[in-house]
Amino acid sequence: DDESTQRQIASDLLTKLGYSVDVAADGQTAVDLCAKAPYALLVLDMVMEPGISGRETYERIVQFNPGQKAIIASGYTETDEVKAIQKLGAGRFIEKPYTVETIGAAVKETLGLS
């Protein structure tokens, strides 16, 4: 997420649920982190400015990590961009602001834990 408050909220919620979390302030940083080590799941913001979008971030990551699991988060409703990234393999869309229950259910579903 490009907003520090949103990154902190997501990190706090996921940590509260027992997950280990790394955060990235922009898409390119996320790509660089994923190139160094595999991640079980990404939570991608669709609109990140300046820099690359959530869709472009995911497109770059799946080039070297096909099958990368991801949840899409946005303050906007589900768009054609969201549907396009889901066609690439990303999972569930969650609308911001989300709750611990919402993100927790999306994580479990995407990781096949539910």
Side-chain angles (χ1 to χ4, degrees):
D1 203 296
D2 58 332
E3 294 183 28
S4 62
T5 303
Q6 279 299 132
R7 284 193 307 275
Q8 191 62 53
I9 290 168
S11 177
D12 290 349
L13 291 176
L14 291 167
T15 301
K16 181 178 181 176
L17 291 169
Y19 298 104
S20 176
V21 178
D22 287 331
V23 295
D26 58 65
Q28 188 57 54
T29 302
V31 172
D32 294 344
L33 286 170
C34 290
K36 292 178 185 174
Y39 283 84
L41 178 70
L42 306 177
V43 178
L44 293 170
D45 185 12
M46 286 304 297
V47 179
M48 295 183 285
E49 295 177 356
I52 61 176
S53 69
R55 178 180 176 180
E56 189 173 348
T57 299
Y58 190 70
E59 287 172 340
R60 290 182 185 187
I61 292 169
V62 296
Q63 286 180 7
F64 58 82
N65 190 8
Q68 173 65 60
K69 293 181 180 188
I71 294 170
I72 306 151
S74 180
Y76 302 99
T77 58
E78 196 169 357
T79 63
D80 289 340
E81 279 290 291
V82 170
K83 292 173 184 165
I85 195 172
Q86 287 174 320
K87 285 182 182 178
L88 293 171
R92 194 161 154 195
F93 168 79
I94 56 174
E95 194 170 347
K96 296 181 206 174
Y98 41 78
T99 64
V100 68
E101 292 83 10
T102 304
I103 197 167
V107 169
K108 283 184 177 182
E109 178 185 309
T110 305
L111 293 176
L113 303 173
S114 57

